[in-house]
Amino acid sequence: MPQISSVINQVQASQHAITAMLTALESIILGKPKACRLALACLLAQGHLLIEDLPGMGKTTLAHALAATLGLRYQRTQFTNDLLPADIVGFSIFDKETKRFKLHKGPIFNQVVLADEINRASPKTQSALLEAMAEHQVSIDGITYELPEPFFVIATQNPLFHAGTYPLPESQLDRFMMRLSLGFPDINAEKKMLLNATERTQQTPSGDNAERAVIITEQALRVMQNVVTQIHVSNEVIDYIIALSHVSRRAYTQQGSQQSDLEINCKPLSPRASKALLQAAKAMAFIDSRDYVLPDDVQAVFYAVCQHRLEIHPNQQLARSSTNNNSLANQVLNSVDVINPLFY
Amino acid sequence: MIFFNAKAKHKVKESTQTKRVIAFSLHRKNAWLLWLCQCLNIAVIALELSTWLLAIISVLLAWQAFLLHNNKKQASIKAVHQNHQLRKHLDNQLQNQQNKPFTTHVSSILLTVFAVLGCIVIAIKANQVGILASMVHLLCFSYVLKAFELKNRRDFYQLFLLGLFVLASALIFRQNLTSSLITLALLIINLAVLLQLFTPVRSFFTHIKVIIMLLAQSVLLAVVLFLVFPRLSPFWQVPLTQSAETGLSDRVKPGDIANLSRSSALAFRADFGQQAVPPYSQLYWRAMVLENFDGKQWTRNKLTAKNKRVLAVNSIDTSVTALSYQITVEPSFQRYLFTLAPAISDQENKTVISHDDYTVSSEKTITQAKSYQLTSYLSAPLTFALSKENRLANLYYPQGSNPKLEQLALQLQHNYPNVQARAQAVLARINTQSFSYTLQPPLLINNSLDQFFFETQAGFCVHYASAFTFIMRASGIPARLVTGYLGGEYNGTNNILGSTGQWSSQGHLSIYQYDAHAWSEIWVAGKGWLRIDPTSAVDPQRINSGWSRQLLQEQSLLNQELFSLYQLKNIAWLNTLRLQFDALDYQWTRWVIGFTRKQQTDVFKRWFGHRASWKTALILTLSLLVSVAIILFSIDFFNRPKRATVPLKKWQLWYQKALTLLANYGLEKPAAMTVTDFTQQVQAHYPRLAIAFSRLSASYNRLCYQSLSTSEQAELLLVMQQQYHDFVHLVKSDNHKAS
């Protein structure tokens, strides 16, 4: 009993900070409350975030805002096609004075790594991020270094049909908990943004206002992440998640057979995906100040968590938006009964 | 490998939208199975086909086997989902498959030419073989040709159905137990091949098991249909194919019946019911009376054969013991029937015609098993009357055809003025001289009876009967040759019950072709026609108990069969087995094949009483409907996906009921919509209900998804119950208002 009440207490205690955080984010990324909530949920669930959209849609702004409001040490790395793995993880250099090799740490040793335009780098460089993302550690010259905690990778990428891009390998895609795309802002938001922009340049020409806006301290973030893991998940929700991933697997194995009852042409969801889905749903419940997960939370994060894992060909749906009714994620969602998930 | 790719390719070209295309193919193993199945199906009906067609068919089958063999290297490709990357590759592969010289696809032009030529040949030969046989020829020909153009699934179905047709048409010609069993076995194999195509993973024997199970399940329906389905007379005339005409011929030369005796095929069966079976030597089954003799062969007298006896009862002394029995004839494609003379046929049966010479014949050619009831008076004499023409006909012999015999006859006529004594003298002469009874009589020049009687002195029943009849005629006694069967094999139990001497027999008499026999009849004034069997003088055992050992040995030597009759009869268990099977076959013939329209109406009469035809029709329709309904229901039941039946919890039940209420209202919850989203829907459509429903939904969500202590849960349950009742109440009052 005390444990349960303590979770709800902690959830409610954090609520103020969450609201403040969301307000801050929404004031930077105008008219995209959903994307902001998802991005925050991703970080609370300790997942890495991939933001994909056309250039100039505010990807980098969102990434910056996230990193800045969390008050974490962050560094931005611009990925280019001649970027080498050593440029990210770092390298040992011979120090003439001490006559020793000295580790020159790369940008990855920050708490938040902003990998800008990640798909412009060659696959080799991209895979340098792999170990770091999965294990929270890097190996340089055979020595393994622990990365600072908390550790996030927030990557942005351009749509694949753009010139000079390499597709992310599936293994790497799977390691991003969520993929967000912002989409065009609506008229009001854009108008407001343009007005704001003129104001802001007048006030602070440097634009370096991020450091002032620290809302959640590192300590508070750790507590919140801990609370998120304690959010209650009922059997019914677990069943629902299993049913969702099962549908994608069934659709995958039945492709090409005559008796296929699912007309979804998708990749199967991995167990890692269902785990991520559960984590993200917990975080979503936390943001909604609940100490238990509802199927609504699962549905809210499903597109962001699963769409990039379901797509057989990257950029299958070119005009992508988070409310695409015909997306694979929605097709999967629509083939599972919420109330009786295992009765399909 | 046979590649069903035409359709698949078409699809690829037509629509780039379709992401996956199914290439339908036959495994190599399946292709061979199909081929084997075809061979077996053809083999069943092979006996009915002309030799030239069989030759064509075997060439085609061999050709197909050759093609199959050559396709060994082309690996089979199963159903493939074609991804973007794979598609190009597979397209190329498909084209390669097409271009390779050896597939069972023969160019369609060649196939068409072949088919047209075949049809022309069949049409030309149609006059010879008859319409049914030529249709069967066409069927078999197309069945074999179809295998060359298996391009998609449809073709395979067609081939399979043709195979079933071939099997069914084999049943037109033969319906006995053996061929029915063979057909059933082949049906199972055919169906298993069909199953194999769709689930190639499982073994063929599993399929056979499955098919047997399915067939066993359909037995009930089959029985109902068997009883109920109207017996239509065939629309075709079953023709006399080569294999058809069996049994005795209406023209007999010495040496003829010896050939027949090599066959151990069944001729007919006789069932005496509870009565005692007469002794072997009494069982002279009369088939034909041959009165005309031209010096070489005996033929029927057309005059007597045409004369129908209207009422036989008058001419027979019915005071002697009657013996009634039922005879079931195998299809002989002739018209004569068998009787123990003198006999009266069942008055009701119009299809059995009695003749003046105490033979009976069928109204139509016997193309399928036929049974009829007879009553015989074994000890009654045959007719006393002999018309002038008959007398002359039965005394006629070509003068000088057999001078030595004529001389002997004259001598006998002088020595023995008494007619019966004269006949006895001839028998005695046969008995005392070195005559022998054999299945391999030496060839006679010009069928000379002289040569037989004085030189070779070895022959079969016809030799003796012919010679005897000739001598009788030459010595002035009216005499005639009778052919038929002698004896029969009793199959069943035959007991004498207690001291009363009453017989209880359960079984039947089987008469085989090798029981064929010929004997003589002489006319004695005051006694009528007397049966005299000269065979008794040379081989008494043949008359009293059947074939002697020596004859059996001869037969097995002549036939050179693996399981000749001789061996069969020597090995006890094999013989028992043979008898058992014979009994089974008899029951089959009697109850299944013999279930004609008359029997059918009899059965209905017994069940539903007389004259109530509308009642019968009603009951039949109802029972058919019920059985079809049962079948449909059970199919539906077995095919329904098996759902785990988890008992619903209380809150689930309430929520579901609330949903049903809303659904009646016109708002249905999509399965994929969450509870919270649905409350918004309700809000939008029915604001009046919204508050109550959202309260209910919130409680449901909490009960379902929140972790609650038992006391909290109980409390919330009570709350939800109240909310549920409120909601129901609200909906009802709302309904009331609306109405």
Side-chain angles (χ1 to χ4, degrees):
Chain A
M1 206 64 40
Q3 201 238 339
I4 291 166
S5 63
S6 79
V7 172
I8 185 71
N9 285 344
Q10 287 181 39
V11 169
Q12 279 162 0
S14 313
Q15 212 47 48
H16 180 70
I18 294 290
T19 323
M21 176 92 183
L22 282 175
T23 322
L25 280 179
E26 279 164 31
S27 71
I28 298 167
I29 311 295
L30 292 168
K32 295 284 166 198
K34 259 191 187 168
C36 295
R37 278 161 71 90
L38 283 170
L40 184 59
C42 181
L43 298 190
L44 288 174
Q46 310 182 40
H48 305 292
L49 183 63
L50 177 66
I51 308 171
E52 178 187 294
D53 221 319
L54 298 167
M57 303 290 275
K59 299 186 296 287
T60 318
T61 316
L62 176 62
H64 265 292
L66 273 174
T69 47
L70 287 174
L72 298 174
R73 188 157 36 85
Y74 74 94
Q75 188 172 351
R76 173 184 164 167
T77 314
Q78 183 68 40
F79 277 42
T80 53
N81 54 5
D82 56 353
L83 193 77
L84 292 174
D87 296 334
I88 297 170
V89 295
F91 47 89
S92 303
I93 200 162
F94 188 73
D95 192 338
K96 276 181 189 168
E97 291 168 16
T98 56
K99 310 229 166 177
R100 273 188 181 176
F101 278 97
K102 190 184 159 196
L103 177 68
H104 183 89
K105 286 186 177 177
I108 202 146
F109 284 91
N110 286 293
Q111 283 169 316
V112 174
V113 179
L114 283 185
D116 221 356
E117 303 197 40
I118 189 174
N119 57 342
R120 288 207 180 276
S122 62
K124 188 180 170 187
T125 314
Q126 287 175 4
S127 61
L129 275 173
L130 267 182
E131 191 190 1
M133 288 171 72
E135 322 279 331
H136 289 206
Q137 62 184 31
V138 286
S139 303
I140 302 165
D141 295 338
I143 306 161
T144 305
Y145 299 92
E146 288 290 322
L147 291 175
E149 285 295 332
F151 173 76
F152 296 121
V153 174
I154 300 176
T156 70
Q157 73 169 351
N158 288 329
L160 269 186
F161 56 87
H162 278 228
T165 57
Y166 297 94
L168 282 179
E170 279 142 27
S171 53
Q172 181 130 10
L173 261 184
D174 198 30
R175 279 173 168 77
F176 284 104
M177 179 181 268
M178 284 190 195
R179 188 189 64 184
L180 293 180
S181 44
L182 294 165
F184 295 107
D186 57 25
I187 294 170
N188 289 335
E190 195 162 4
K191 196 172 174 184
K192 204 172 165 191
M193 187 186 79
L194 291 177
L195 285 171
N196 275 359
T198 38
E199 277 173 33
R200 195 174 296 170
T201 37
Q202 281 164 4
Q203 287 170 1
T204 50
S206 64
D208 190 21
N209 54 356
E211 227 157 294
R212 280 177 286 145
V214 173
I215 291 163
I216 300 175
T217 59
E218 192 184 323
Q219 191 61 35
L221 181 64
R222 282 194 184 159
V223 171
M224 282 185 196
Q225 284 179 342
N226 187 32
V227 174
V228 164
T229 54
Q230 291 178 36
I231 297 275
H232 172 74
V233 183
S234 65
N235 248 339
E236 283 80 359
V237 172
I238 298 275
D239 282 351
Y240 184 52
I241 288 173
I242 289 173
L244 286 171
S245 49
H246 195 93
V247 162
S248 73
R249 291 168 203 173
R250 203 149 51 95
Y252 177 73
T253 48
Q254 282 178 1
Q255 270 165 35
S257 69
Q258 291 272 302
Q259 304 91 339
S260 170
D261 52 344
L262 293 162
E263 279 300 312
I264 309 171
N265 190 21
C266 64
K267 276 189 197 162
L269 289 176
S270 64
R272 185 191 293 169
S274 16
K275 226 171 122 186
L277 191 58
L278 181 60
Q279 281 298 321
K282 278 179 170 181
M284 212 59 193
F286 176 80
I287 291 174
D288 271 354
S289 77
R290 254 183 287 113
D291 66 338
Y292 57 94
V293 178
L294 282 181
D296 302 79
D297 302 320
V298 179
Q299 291 199 350
V301 297
F302 190 75
Y303 182 91
V305 174
C306 296
Q307 175 68 20
H308 63 290
R309 304 173 207 254
L310 290 168
E311 283 172 4
I312 282 184
H313 312 291
N315 283 34
Q316 198 171 30
Q317 283 149 314
L318 298 178
R320 197 191 288 119
S321 86
S322 55
T323 51
N324 196 334
N325 286 329
N326 231 352
S327 67
L328 289 175
N330 271 346
Q331 288 177 35
V332 172
L333 274 182
N334 284 334
S335 37
V336 178
D337 187 351
V338 177
I339 294 178
N340 300 316
L342 289 182
F343 288 176
Y344 38 79
Chain B
M1 200 194 70
I2 302 171
F3 215 99
F4 298 88
N5 55 7
K7 210 174 179 180
K9 279 189 59 152
H10 189 63
K11 259 191 188 169
V12 173
K13 278 180 194 162
E14 283 287 294
S15 63
T16 42
Q17 297 297 316
T18 339
K19 297 265 159 40
R20 48 214 155 93
V21 176
I22 294 152
F24 189 64
S25 76
L26 215 56
H27 276 272
R28 218 175 78 76
K29 186 181 143 203
N30 286 356
W32 276 109
L33 267 176
L34 196 62
W35 181 80
L36 202 70
C37 183
Q38 263 189 305
C39 290
L40 288 174
N41 285 348
I42 291 290
V44 170
I45 206 171
L47 277 177
E48 316 304 333
L49 300 177
S50 314
T51 331
W52 54 269
L53 188 79
L54 272 181
I56 292 176
I57 284 177
S58 35
V59 164
L60 284 175
L61 282 174
W63 186 11
Q64 219 198 330
F66 173 73
L67 290 179
L68 284 174
H69 182 73
N70 269 311
N71 277 296
K72 202 186 272 179
K73 284 154 210 162
Q74 298 183 3
S76 65
I77 290 176
K78 295 165 209 164
V80 187
H81 359 265
Q82 299 187 333
N83 291 342
H84 278 277
Q85 297 112 319
L86 271 177
R87 190 188 283 175
K88 241 184 191 170
H89 172 66
L90 271 175
D91 260 6
N92 290 339
Q93 210 169 353
L94 291 180
Q95 259 144 22
N96 287 347
Q97 293 274 2
Q98 281 267 299
N99 294 340
K100 275 183 188 168
F102 289 114
T103 46
T104 41
H105 290 198
V106 180
S107 82
S108 55
I109 298 171
L110 186 63
L111 213 59
T112 316
V113 169
F114 212 93
V116 168
L117 282 180
C119 290
I120 289 172
V121 174
I122 289 171
I124 290 170
K125 292 273 181 176
N127 264 341
Q128 279 180 26
V129 294
I131 192 82
L132 177 68
S134 53
M135 284 299 142
V136 171
H137 281 128
L138 191 63
L139 179 66
C140 292
F141 183 62
S142 54
Y143 180 49
V144 177
L145 268 192
K146 185 69 198 171
F148 285 95
E149 46 161 28
L150 293 181
K151 280 172 190 151
N152 32 36
R153 206 170 265 227
R154 194 179 47 200
D155 294 322
F156 175 78
Y157 288 144
Q158 238 169 43
L159 185 72
F160 168 74
L161 283 178
L162 278 175
L164 290 192
F165 257 104
V166 169
L167 274 187
S169 52
L171 277 180
I172 296 175
F173 299 99
R174 281 147 216 281
Q175 299 143 344
N176 60 7
L177 187 60
T178 329
S179 48
S180 303
L181 283 179
I182 290 173
T183 312
L184 180 68
L186 275 177
L187 178 69
I188 291 171
I189 291 175
N190 270 287
L191 290 170
V193 168
L194 179 69
L195 207 58
Q196 172 87 25
L197 181 87
F198 294 112
T199 41
V201 192
R202 286 195 280 169
S203 82
F204 191 63
F205 291 97
T206 333
H207 293 316
I208 287 187
K209 262 187 228 160
V210 171
I211 292 295
I212 290 174
M213 288 266 290
L214 286 175
L215 284 183
Q217 282 167 9
S218 60
V219 159
L220 186 71
L221 186 67
V223 168
V224 170
L225 284 179
F226 175 76
L227 288 175
V228 166
F229 200 78
R231 291 289 186 279
L232 304 169
S233 52
F235 309 116
W236 55 79
Q237 181 67 47
V238 176
L240 308 170
T241 46
Q242 313 100 318
S243 68
E245 218 164 308
T246 52
L248 296 165
S249 153
D250 57 356
R251 9 185 106 240
V252 167
K253 292 190 285 282
D256 271 359
I257 289 181
N259 292 333
L260 194 58
S261 67
R262 291 189 197 178
S263 156
S264 54
L266 188 72
F268 62 97
R269 291 190 175 99
D271 195 341
F272 291 89
Q274 296 290 314
Q275 302 157 91
V277 177
Y280 196 93
S281 56
Q282 292 280 307
L283 295 170
Y284 277 89
W285 302 100
R286 197 185 186 86
M288 273 177 290
V289 173
L290 308 174
E291 288 170 309
N292 289 359
F293 182 60
D294 62 356
K296 285 171 193 167
Q297 63 177 5
W298 297 85
T299 50
R300 305 185 79 168
N301 187 340
K302 280 178 186 147
L303 269 176
T304 29
K306 267 183 191 166
N307 276 349
K308 288 181 191 173
R309 213 157 31 135
V310 183
L311 259 181
V313 194
N314 297 345
S315 55
I316 295 175
D317 178 9
T318 48
S319 60
V320 295
T321 349
L323 180 71
S324 54
Y325 49 92
Q326 190 182 28
I327 288 181
T328 312
V329 201
E330 289 290 296
S332 63
F333 298 92
Q334 304 206 27
R335 288 172 68 168
Y336 60 82
L337 296 171
F338 312 96
T339 162
L340 293 173
I344 303 169
S345 83
D346 189 359
Q347 286 299 314
E348 279 178 47
N349 201 340
K350 296 269 163 56
T351 58
V352 175
I353 307 159
S354 304
H355 298 280
D356 259 346
D357 53 8
Y358 297 98
T359 58
V360 289
S361 68
S362 161
E363 197 186 16
K364 285 179 193 157
T365 312
I366 304 161
T367 53
Q368 53 172 290
K370 174 189 175 71
S371 66
Y372 53 97
Q373 194 79 33
L374 286 176
T375 311
S376 283
Y377 304 92
L378 286 184
S379 44
L382 302 184
T383 180
F384 299 116
L386 186 66
S387 68
K388 208 169 193 180
E389 294 129 42
N390 265 345
R391 188 186 178 85
L392 279 176
N394 283 313
L395 276 172
Y396 173 79
Y397 61 97
Q399 298 283 331
S401 58
N402 292 296
K404 278 187 179 176
L405 275 181
E406 284 168 40
Q407 206 186 339
L408 176 73
L410 285 176
Q411 204 181 324
L412 286 169
Q413 192 178 15
H414 185 254
N415 290 352
Y416 302 94
N418 185 324
V419 174
Q420 272 175 289
R422 205 183 297 161
Q424 271 312 303
V426 180
L427 293 184
R429 188 188 164 97
I430 292 171
N431 196 11
T432 45
Q433 290 198 9
S434 61
F435 279 95
S436 67
Y437 194 66
T438 172
L439 282 178
Q440 296 162 283
L443 274 178
L444 302 175
I445 301 155
N446 234 348
N447 289 319
S448 157
L449 292 172
D450 266 0
Q451 194 189 357
F452 159 69
F453 206 76
F454 294 104
E455 288 168 36
T456 62
Q457 297 201 328
F460 201 57
C461 52
V462 188
H463 293 88
Y464 292 96
S466 307
F468 181 81
T469 315
F470 185 87
I471 295 168
M472 287 296 111
R473 283 190 178 186
S475 67
I477 306 171
R480 60 194 186 186
L481 190 75
V482 184
T483 56
Y485 294 81
L486 171 60
E489 185 179 45
Y490 188 73
N491 189 355
T493 55
N494 211 346
N495 302 320
I496 299 172
L497 273 185
S499 53
T500 49
Q502 209 180 356
W503 278 83
S504 138
S505 66
Q506 274 257 303
H508 62 271
L509 209 57
S510 298
I511 292 94
Y512 297 95
Q513 293 296 357
Y514 60 76
D515 289 319
H517 195 58
W519 61 91
S520 295
E521 275 179 351
I522 58 173
W523 197 80
V524 184
K527 289 188 175 175
W529 285 104
L530 286 184
R531 179 177 68 219
I532 296 201
D533 189 353
T535 308
S536 64
V538 60
D539 186 3
Q541 200 193 341
R542 169 80 185 93
I543 310 300
N544 293 324
S545 60
W547 285 38
S548 61
R549 269 186 96 75
Q550 176 231 335
L551 272 183
L552 282 173
Q553 260 166 353
E554 257 183 51
Q555 198 213 17
S556 77
L557 274 177
L558 277 174
N559 278 358
Q560 300 193 322
E561 279 170 2
L562 194 58
F563 290 107
S564 65
L565 201 64
Y566 173 64
Q567 282 163 322
L568 270 177
K569 284 194 170 166
N570 271 343
I571 303 168
W573 67 269
L574 264 182
N575 202 29
T576 344
L577 203 70
R578 188 178 64 85
L579 288 178
Q580 291 285 339
F581 188 77
D582 179 65
L584 214 62
D585 190 39
Y586 174 59
Q587 297 303 332
W588 173 263
T589 316
R590 194 169 158 195
W591 296 113
V592 179
I593 299 173
F595 192 79
T596 53
R597 194 186 302 182
K598 191 171 166 292
Q599 269 88 336
Q600 200 176 23
T601 42
D602 283 353
V603 166
F604 290 150
K605 268 183 194 165
R606 210 179 310 146
W607 285 355
F608 310 115
H610 292 264
R611 283 184 214 168
S613 58
W614 64 270
K615 227 200 243 169
T616 321
L618 191 71
I619 290 170
L620 286 187
T621 324
L622 273 182
S623 59
L624 260 181
L625 281 178
V626 166
S627 44
V628 167
I630 288 173
I631 287 163
L632 285 181
F633 176 76
S634 48
I635 286 173
D636 182 57
F637 182 76
F638 286 118
N639 286 351
R640 207 174 288 166
K642 293 198 172 55
R643 291 187 163 192
T645 47
V646 181
L648 285 176
K649 285 167 189 144
K650 260 185 190 168
W651 57 83
Q652 283 173 323
L653 204 69
W654 288 331
Y655 189 69
Q656 290 286 5
K657 276 184 182 169
L659 284 186
T660 325
L661 277 177
L662 276 176
N664 289 341
Y665 228 71
L667 189 63
E668 215 164 324
K669 177 182 167 297
M673 189 180 270
T674 61
V675 175
T676 327
D677 289 349
F678 187 59
T679 52
Q680 280 160 13
Q681 284 260 320
V682 174
Q683 171 103 46
H685 289 93
Y686 302 102
R688 279 192 306 272
L689 305 177
I691 298 172
F693 186 71
S694 59
R695 277 185 193 145
L696 184 74
S697 301
S699 302
Y700 171 79
N701 261 349
R702 287 190 64 199
L703 278 165
C704 201
Y705 300 112
Q706 201 174 3
S707 96
L708 296 170
S709 67
T710 26
S711 60
E712 278 175 321
Q713 196 174 4
E715 210 174 299
L716 198 52
L717 261 178
L718 278 176
V719 172
M720 188 174 172
Q721 190 172 16
Q722 188 55 47
Q723 284 167 340
Y724 169 68
H725 286 307
D726 287 350
F727 178 70
V728 172
H729 188 71
L730 190 64
V731 169
K732 272 183 187 162
S733 65
D734 202 63
N735 262 343
H736 202 67
K737 262 184 224 161
S739 64

